[in-house]
Amino acid sequence: MRIDVVTAFPEMMRAIFNESMLLKAREKKIVEFKVWDLRKFATDKRKSVDDYPYGGGSGMILKPEPLFRAVDKILEELATTQKEIILMSPQGKLFNHQEAEVLSQKENLIFLCGHYRGVDERVVESLATLEISIGDYVLTGGEIPAAVVIDSVVRLIPGVLGDFSSAESDSIVKGMLDYPHYTRPPVYRGMKVPEVLLSGHHKNIEEWRKKQAKKKTKEKRPDMFKKKDKE
Ligand SMILES: C[S@@+](CC[C@H](N)C(=O)[O-])C[C@H]1O[C@@H](n2cnc3c(N)ncnc32)[C@H](O)[C@@H]1O
């Protein structure tokens, strides 16, 4: 997979791509990341990427030209038509695990990060193929939302996580929350690790984990529990 990110704040994205799982995915050559500095596609001498809104009002708007020109440049480099141009926006489709799975099957993802008051509507109407929101709250820019989506998508690509089964058994993925985890020491400040986990009895451990996952889901996410119960 190749992931391109167009942003007026490229260092924010570079920092994220240079750590942890995303760095490993790049080192294993499973994913290629490219960060594009929006200012390099500005058309004026001052390299401005934003302008005042027509009709007045507060806040600046990302201009259409730099975004369209950046995508033109990216598309010149891509040898495939299998691409998704994703605009990060609080007005987009609410992101979830199912959407992450769909995106993890694509060859190319292009992320457009908005900023300030938002982006010129012509980008929404004629450039983006998909608008994604990461939740019903507003962040300052699309960089953190893009990072959230990219992280959740890339970890689903086989070979990225050392132990892929750990992605498959994560909370949400199987419609249930994860069971509780413990590591050494067996007793810490008087708090004991459940006996069954120290027993070495695999069948009992599995049963305990299933029971605990069910209990946690029922307590913390009754909506999710109800849905799973109906299946
Ligand atoms: C301050 S926000 C603009 C909000 C816009 N005025 C509105 O009400 O929809 C600036 C940028 O941050 C990004 N952003 C903010 N919240 C987001 C969210 N929940 N999901 C995805 N992107 C978001 C978008 O790229 C957006 O263009």
Side-chain angles (χ1 to χ4, degrees):
M1 182 189 278
R2 172 170 155 173
I3 294 179
D4 292 86
V5 183
V6 181
T7 166
F9 299 88
E11 289 314 316
M12 274 178 88
M13 294 312 301
R14 289 195 185 111
I16 284 157
F17 292 148
N18 280 328
E19 294 286 349
S20 185
M21 177 274 297
L22 294 177
L23 172 63
K24 290 218 177 84
R26 185 152 61 87
E27 285 174 347
K28 287 181 185 170
K29 301 204 185 315
I30 297 172
V31 186
E32 185 190 346
F33 298 110
K34 251 185 145 172
V35 180
W36 300 83
D37 183 351
L38 190 60
R39 284 171 216 286
K40 297 218 167 113
F41 297 91
T43 50
D44 62 346
K45 270 195 199 146
R46 288 178 49 244
K47 299 278 168 214
S48 41
V49 293
D50 57 332
D51 209 336
Y52 294 98
Y54 275 128
S58 63
M60 299 297 274
I61 309 298
L62 282 188
K63 289 158 68 68
E65 306 96 310
L67 284 162
F68 274 86
R69 281 160 51 105
V71 171
D72 285 348
K73 176 77 184 146
I74 295 167
L75 295 182
E76 269 173 31
E77 285 191 8
L78 299 183
T80 173
T81 50
Q82 212 222 9
K83 58 175 190 315
E84 199 75 79
I85 302 171
I86 304 165
L87 175 66
M88 301 314 300
S89 162
Q91 301 177 12
K93 188 176 175 194
L94 213 51
F95 189 64
N96 60 20
H97 177 70
Q98 281 69 38
E99 193 63 38
E101 275 188 336
V102 171
L103 295 181
S104 74
Q105 313 287 325
K106 306 260 176 187
E107 280 174 24
N108 293 283
L109 300 177
I110 302 169
F111 288 85
L112 308 178
C113 303
H115 225 91
Y116 314 116
R117 187 74 195 264
V119 303
D120 186 285
E121 193 65 15
R122 286 164 287 193
V123 172
V124 180
E125 285 171 356
S126 308
L127 186 62
T129 56
L130 182 65
E131 260 186 291
I132 291 184
S133 165
I134 61 158
D136 287 341
Y137 41 81
V138 177
L139 289 122
T140 310
E143 290 73 17
I144 293 170
V148 167
V149 173
I150 292 167
D151 188 298
S152 66
V153 166
V154 171
R155 68 198 306 285
L156 293 178
I157 303 172
V160 169
L161 294 186
D163 175 9
F164 185 63
S165 67
S166 73
E168 286 172 331
S169 61
D170 276 336
S171 285
I172 320 292
V173 176
K174 53 192 191 307
M176 284 279 242
L177 297 183
D178 203 359
Y179 51 76
H181 301 279
Y182 294 88
T183 184
R184 281 183 286 187
V187 183
Y188 180 66
R189 295 192 178 189
M191 296 176 281
K192 286 182 186 163
V193 171
E195 207 66 51
V196 61
L197 296 180
L198 309 175
S199 69
H201 195 301
H202 297 298
K203 197 164 168 276
N204 287 357
I205 292 173
E206 206 181 307
E207 271 170 19
W208 180 86
R209 284 177 167 168
K210 264 190 198 151
K211 227 168 133 184
Q212 292 295 319
K214 230 174 155 178
K215 186 169 166 256
K216 262 194 169 195
T217 313
K218 202 171 174 182
E219 281 167 13
K220 294 186 175 181
R221 289 291 303 271
D223 56 317
M224 192 187 277
F225 185 77
K226 249 191 207 159
K227 208 169 148 200
K228 187 79 183 169
D229 220 27
K230 275 189 196 149
E231 286 174 14

